[in-house]
């Protein structure tokens, strides 16, 4: 299996939807670069913290993950 140690965390507490998307897009290149400098299977686990309250950010992050070929959603219960 893949290692479960989280390599990076992106905290989106207090962000608007647009701010969260901008941070995700800006950070993706860094994550891909880090994964490619690693070893096969060139995967790094990342924790994205959406905060509490409404589901707006968690739904936004989920859609962002599904729309990015370089990103996969971790199965529930891994962490």
């Amino acid at each position: 299996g893949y290692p479960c140690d989280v390599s990076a965390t992106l905290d989106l507490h207090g962000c608007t939807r647009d701010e969260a998307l901008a941070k995700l897009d800006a950070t993706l290149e860094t994550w891909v670069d880090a994964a490619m400098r690693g070893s096969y299977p060139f995967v790094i686990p990342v924790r994205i913290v959406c905060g509490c309250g409404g589901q707006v950010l968690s739904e936004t992050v989920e859609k962002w993950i599904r729309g990015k070929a370089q990103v996969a959603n971790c199965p529930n219960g891994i962490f």
Side-chain angles (χ1 to χ4, degrees):
Y2 297 115
C4 292
D5 294 333
V6 174
S7 298
T9 299
L10 179 62
D11 189 347
L12 301 176
H13 280 106
C15 291
T16 65
R17 179 186 173 281
D18 290 338
E19 290 169 340
L21 289 171
K23 284 186 176 187
L24 287 163
D25 287 337
T27 309
L28 179 59
E29 185 176 340
T30 302
W31 292 337
V32 170
D33 288 344
M36 295 309 293
R37 283 192 306 271
S39 58
Y40 182 83
F42 307 108
V43 172
I44 62 165
V46 177
R47 179 173 290 132
I48 300 171
V49 181
C50 298
C52 57
Q55 294 287 322
V56 173
L57 280 185
S58 60
E59 290 171 0
T60 297
V61 169
E62 183 177 350
K63 287 178 186 176
W64 181 86
I65 290 170
R66 292 180 190 274
K68 299 293 180 186
Q70 311 96 316
V71 180
N73 201 357
C74 183
N76 289 334
I78 293 294
F79 299 103

